């Protein structure tokens, strides 16, 4: 049974650029959630995808968007990057209706 | 709104000491409660959970009891090891569909031998 895989592990972007982060969910999981974890803080819920549609969203602006693919993998896209977007981005997969989240190791995004 | 408050860290203990990390919550309805652990450079791992009042979650020697009357879910371990050094997050979910977790800010535990 494979866990949750995220790529890349680290990247550096310039303010105003766009970025795409990728996540492969754990085998058998059909739901993917994304979280932003700023340094020294707890993770903040961005959104969740189920059956390729957004299934819940936290307090993040529309420049944060996502996709889920038929194989349940997912992408997080952030447009018009700001310095405050620098954070660890965590992907978590689960079965819809369950609380058994499996987290990936995250992508460390630095915006300069 | 819904929120989780954890004790400020860091918590520094000697090996075999008793550990308590306090967690209180504010939530509508009847949330499920969780403790997650994050080791350096890694993602979050579920440590234990409780889904209703008076439930006790336990794993790897860690325990936490869901106390509705005090809205608390304190994490305890009788004898910590150096390998327990990590950041611990208390979290809740009010959505029965399991849509989102609400996390506290985390408490760093450092155990020395």
């Amino acid at each position: 049974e494979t866990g949750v895989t995220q790529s890349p592990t680290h990247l550096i972007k310039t303010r105003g650029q766009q970025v795409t982060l990728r996540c492969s969910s754990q085998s058998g999981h059909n739901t993917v959630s994304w979280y932003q974890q700023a340094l020294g803080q707890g993770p903040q819920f961005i959104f969740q995808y189920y059956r390729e549609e957004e299934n819940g969203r936290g307090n993040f602006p529309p420049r944060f968007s996502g996709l889920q693919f038929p194989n349940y993998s997912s992408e997080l896209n952030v447009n018009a990057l700001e310095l405050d977007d620098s954070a660890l981005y965590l992907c978590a997969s689960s079965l819809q209706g369950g609380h058994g989240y499996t987290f990936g190791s995250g992508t460390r995004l630095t915006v300069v | 709104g819904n929120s989780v408050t954890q004790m400020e860290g860091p918590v520094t203990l000697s090996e075999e000491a008793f550990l308590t990390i306090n967690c209180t919550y504010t939530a509508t309805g009847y949330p499920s409660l969780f403790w997650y652990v994050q080791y350096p450079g890694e993602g979050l791992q579920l440590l234990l959970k409780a889904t209703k009042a008076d439930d006790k979650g336990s794993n790897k020697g860690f325990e936490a009891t869901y106390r509705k009357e005090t809205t608390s879910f304190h994490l305890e371990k009788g004898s910590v090891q150096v390998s327990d050094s990590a950041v611990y997050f208390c979290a809740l979910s009010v959505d029965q569909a399991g849509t989102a977790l609400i996390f506290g800010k985390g408490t760093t535990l450092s155990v020395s031998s």
Side-chain angles (χ1 to χ4, degrees):
Chain A
E1 177 180 278
T2 59
V4 175
T5 305
Q6 293 187 242
S7 63
T9 55
H10 299 81
L11 77 165
I12 300 173
K13 289 287 189 178
T14 302
R15 189 171 50 182
Q17 286 188 316
Q18 178 266 344
V19 69
T20 297
L21 310 182
R22 294 178 175 82
C23 172
S24 294
S25 60
Q26 178 169 309
S27 176
H29 285 181
N30 57 12
T31 301
V32 174
S33 303
W34 286 91
Y35 290 80
Q36 181 195 66
Q37 186 180 12
L39 198 62
Q41 302 295 315
Q44 299 288 316
F45 175 68
I46 303 174
F47 45 56
Q48 184 184 81
Y49 276 81
Y50 171 63
R51 290 187 175 177
E52 302 176 47
E53 292 192 0
E54 190 178 286
N55 186 42
R57 188 178 184 93
N59 188 27
F60 280 81
R63 60 189 184 84
F64 285 78
S65 64
L67 284 172
Q68 186 183 31
F69 300 99
N71 66 355
Y72 307 125
S73 65
S74 177
E75 290 182 352
L76 164 65
N77 299 290
V78 186
N79 293 322
L81 284 166
E82 301 177 359
L83 297 180
D84 285 347
D85 295 333
S86 296
L88 179 68
Y89 288 85
L90 295 167
C91 171
S93 71
S94 63
L95 280 172
Q96 181 63 13
H99 292 294
Y101 299 92
T102 300
F103 281 82
S105 297
T107 294
R108 174 72 64 187
L109 171 65
T110 302
V111 182
V112 298
Chain B
N2 303 312
S3 66
V4 173
T5 302
Q6 290 182 236
M7 61 186 289
E8 295 277 334
V11 174
T12 303
L13 296 173
S14 298
E15 206 166 25
E16 299 183 1
F18 184 85
L19 168 71
T20 300
I21 300 178
N22 291 336
C23 171
T24 57
Y25 67 90
T26 301
T28 55
Y30 302 95
S32 295
L33 302 174
F34 307 82
W35 277 100
Y36 280 83
V37 58
Q38 187 174 36
Y39 298 101
E42 298 185 12
L44 300 172
Q45 298 176 25
L46 177 64
L47 183 59
L48 53 85
K49 69 178 182 181
T51 58
K52 61 182 187 296
D54 299 325
D55 268 3
K56 177 185 283 188
S58 62
N59 185 27
K60 300 180 181 179
F62 291 90
E63 293 183 340
T65 301
Y66 189 140
R67 301 287 189 199
K68 189 172 186 295
E69 63 276 14
T70 55
T71 62
S72 65
F73 193 55
H74 305 321
L75 182 68
E76 297 182 336
K77 187 176 185 183
S79 176
V80 294
Q81 305 299 312
V82 172
S83 57
D84 294 327
S85 298
V87 182
Y88 292 80
F89 292 94
C90 185
L92 67 83
S93 175
V94 297
D95 183 347
Q96 292 306 311
T99 302
L101 290 168
I102 298 168
F103 287 88
K105 291 186 176 181
T107 303
T108 299
L109 170 65
S110 179
V111 181
S112 58
S113 58

